[in-house]
Amino acid sequence: MVAKAELHCHIEGTASPALAREKAALYGVDISAFVRDDAYIWHDFTSFLVAYDAISMLFRTAEDYADLAERYLTRLARDGAIYSEFFISTDHAVSAGLDPQAYIEGLAEGIRRARNATGIECRMIATGLRHIGPEAVEHAARFVTANPHPLITGFGMAGDERMHHAADFRRAFDIARDAGLGLTVHAGEFAGATSVRDALDALKPSRIGHGVRAIEDRDLVKRLAEEGIVLECCPGSNIALGVYDSFEDHPFKALSDAGVKVTLNSDDPPFFHTDLGREYDIACDVFRLDDDPLRGITRTAIKAAFIDEETRAKLLAKLLPVEKPA
Ligand code: ADE
Ligand code: ZN
């Protein structure tokens, strides 16, 4: 099995419908509008975000989050992952009535449990939500930089990228950059190539979440390749949300062939009926990548990870192909 790494997954988006039902029963919440026949119910990006918010409200204690992170990471390790970076959202924790420090400590505990059980390495990326607006995103950046945690090594922005202008979030990203956090921005998913260019110009991230619609602008593709910007591609998410009609139409391979650094990710796995293993399988079956290029994708992810150099070197060493006996 090729070793895998994931850079783009929202921790609240990893809860299975079964776990959501369990929590809903525990807390006496009716989630019948959001779960049916063991699948989440949504029909477009807006209703997906509504369902996502509703499900995240079912996680209310540090232990709920420790359990969520432990489940996600142990499953990921079983699928061959050696590294994960997941997005956290203090806004979601506060909305659920949980103290953001307790939220972070709970998640860190889940990471420790999974690491002890499987050896998987993990870091967290704090995010602000674009559709709540620049002040809220700046508040998220101020909180995480005023309360540094060794496992939080990045800052990003998720949410509805059709709202506001990238430049509105400049201060939040300056705060995070000055604190030494790695930067990533969701762009080029539901908004076109311009959103990717605007994010690069205004926020100067080293990675873009999705970014696939950059393919609509040849000069931008050239720029991504030249500047070594890493795209956190999530093909299964893009198909589920209707960004592209089929995997055959997805620009993953075209971007890679144009010299853009691409990685594979699951985004919100049970919402999109996917997981990291399936994303690698799709890359093999549809994009026709065999073990060597797949290992190369994992290597790109590890090289772009927001981790200290010692850990990066250890992870890269795990990627050396095992010598075949003569
Ligand atoms: N939050 C969770 N999943 C997301 C996605 N695919 N795009 C933007 N924000 C998100
Ligand atoms: Zn995402």
Side-chain angles (χ1 to χ4, degrees):
M1 184 163 45
V2 169
K4 304 176 181 72
E6 170 142 274
L7 299 180
H8 187 124
C9 184
H10 303 258
I11 194 63
E12 286 82 2
T14 67
S16 69
L19 181 62
R21 277 188 205 284
E22 212 180 280
K23 297 292 178 197
L26 179 69
Y27 294 123
V29 180
D30 177 7
I31 56 165
S32 56
F34 303 108
V35 185
R36 190 182 308 133
D37 300 333
D38 216 29
Y40 289 121
I41 304 169
W42 52 269
H43 57 274
D44 59 12
F45 186 52
T46 304
S47 61
F48 156 70
L49 288 176
V50 171
Y52 179 94
D53 284 349
I55 298 307
S56 67
M57 292 310 113
L58 300 170
F59 295 84
R60 300 181 175 186
T61 68
E63 179 51 35
D64 284 348
Y65 272 102
D67 180 42
L68 189 60
E70 183 184 4
R71 285 175 192 246
Y72 158 64
L73 290 170
T74 46
R75 164 101 202 260
L76 204 64
R78 220 172 40 228
D79 284 349
I82 57 172
Y83 183 70
S84 158
E85 255 163 42
F86 62 68
F87 295 122
I88 69 170
S89 163
T90 46
D91 288 294
H92 280 95
V94 170
S95 297
L98 178 58
D99 169 62
Q101 293 276 30
Y103 169 72
I104 290 165
E105 277 311 324
L107 290 165
E109 171 60 21
I111 291 172
R112 276 189 291 272
R113 288 180 197 164
R115 190 179 194 278
N116 288 342
T118 69
I120 191 167
E121 198 64 61
C122 179
R123 298 292 184 273
M124 294 183 268
I125 301 174
T127 58
L129 299 171
R130 185 170 185 140
H131 51 271
I132 309 188
E135 276 180 27
V137 177
E138 188 178 326
H139 184 266
R142 285 196 190 284
F143 178 82
V144 75
T145 53
N147 300 277
H149 189 286
L151 293 178
I152 301 180
T153 54
F155 182 76
M157 182 162 65
D160 194 335
E161 69 185 66
R162 297 167 296 192
M163 296 177 71
H164 303 283
H165 191 278
D168 301 338
F169 301 95
R170 196 172 268 141
R171 208 157 49 207
F173 279 77
D174 285 348
I175 290 166
R177 186 184 307 100
D178 289 348
L181 295 172
L183 301 180
T184 175
V185 185
H186 278 61
E189 179 190 19
F190 278 91
T194 307
S195 73
V196 177
R197 184 181 296 102
D198 290 348
L200 292 176
D201 289 344
L203 308 177
K204 301 184 178 27
S206 60
R207 303 185 342 214
I208 294 282
H210 298 284
V212 283
R213 292 193 54 196
I215 198 72
E216 293 161 22
D217 180 331
R218 201 196 296 215
D219 289 341
L220 180 60
V221 171
K222 200 160 162 264
R223 175 178 174 186
L224 291 173
E226 280 170 4
E227 295 184 10
I229 303 295
V230 173
L231 301 188
E232 302 155 5
C233 296
C234 313
S237 160
N238 295 153
I239 302 307
L241 283 166
V243 179
Y244 298 101
D245 290 338
S246 71
F247 288 109
E248 285 74 16
D249 294 328
H250 194 280
F252 181 89
K253 189 70 175 32
L255 287 161
S256 175
D257 289 347
V260 178
K261 293 181 176 173
V262 290
T263 61
L264 288 165
N265 305 276
S266 66
D267 208 5
D268 304 285
F271 283 86
F272 305 138
H273 308 286
T274 194
D275 55 41
L276 190 62
R278 177 170 176 257
E279 299 297 324
Y280 273 70
D281 285 348
I282 290 162
C284 175
D285 298 342
V286 184
F287 307 142
R288 301 262 162 238
L289 302 177
D290 61 22
D291 283 4
D292 267 347
L294 288 178
R295 205 177 286 115
I297 287 169
T298 305
R299 190 174 293 111
T300 298
I302 303 288
K303 284 184 175 170
F306 300 147
I307 35 168
D308 58 279
E309 295 312 316
E310 193 186 332
T311 312
R312 194 190 316 281
K314 274 189 200 150
L315 290 166
L316 286 172
K318 292 189 182 184
L319 285 180
L320 296 176
V322 178
E323 289 280 329
K324 288 198 184 92

